[in-house]
Amino acid sequence: MSIVRSTDPDFRICRVSFDGLLEIQIEAEEGGWATRWSSEQALRGQVKEESAILQTLKREERSGVLRAYRCLLLFSAVGEGGAGGITTIDIRPSRLESLERLDRDPGVRSALARMFSLALGGITTVAKT
């Protein structure tokens, strides 16, 4: 896997609806991808039913073909008051392309990339069950 840098054309920070996240989870289950929740029920047990923010992190290529992106996912956690969680999830390139981008403005892009960097350092990562 290769790292996606904030200067790369495929670096993205996107909003994903809860229903969209469920679809990503189902696609990851069907694709047998390792970076996902163990089930839709497990996801529902950890993620509040509201939109989340996703950032591309790595590219997975096989035989020179882009198969998936490993993304960071920042979300509101179930039963944690106002606390959030951060974890990774794999996503198909075509699904990533369909998500609402939040990072088109360079200043916003930089601020959101910094937000994810801080979240990684200051929020306990959530292990998927």
Side-chain angles (χ1 to χ4, degrees):
M1 292 192 109
S2 62
I3 297 287
V4 177
R5 304 200 187 292
S6 63
T7 54
D8 292 345
D10 55 351
F11 177 86
R12 296 189 189 315
I13 298 177
C14 303
R15 181 185 340 256
V16 59
S17 68
F18 185 77
D19 288 340
L21 182 57
L22 290 174
E23 291 171 6
I24 291 167
Q25 169 65 24
I26 291 166
E27 290 169 359
E29 286 180 43
E30 290 171 351
W33 296 341
T35 306
R36 60 177 169 82
W37 276 266
S38 59
S39 67
E40 179 183 332
Q41 190 63 27
L43 183 153
R44 288 179 180 278
Q46 290 186 314
V47 180
K48 279 189 183 173
E49 290 192 31
E50 53 188 49
S51 64
I53 309 295
L54 181 138
Q55 177 196 303
T56 51
L57 179 65
K58 295 182 177 183
R59 294 174 204 89
E60 180 184 346
E61 296 181 24
R62 290 205 180 154
S63 302
V65 176
L66 181 61
R67 180 176 182 253
Y69 285 98
R70 179 144 305 152
C71 297
L72 294 170
L73 182 72
L74 184 60
F75 60 91
S76 295
V78 169
E80 299 295 328
I86 191 165
T87 193
T88 55
I89 192 161
D90 289 345
I91 183 172
R92 285 185 301 116
S94 58
R95 171 70 67 177
L96 180 65
E97 289 286 329
S98 74
L99 297 178
E100 175 191 0
R101 285 190 73 172
L102 302 174
D103 67 325
R104 294 194 184 276
D105 177 90
V108 171
R109 181 184 191 104
S110 177
L112 290 172
R114 178 72 177 136
M115 176 191 73
F116 269 92
S117 176
L118 291 171
L120 277 174
I123 297 174
T124 302
T125 54
V126 176
K128 293 181 266 327
T129 57

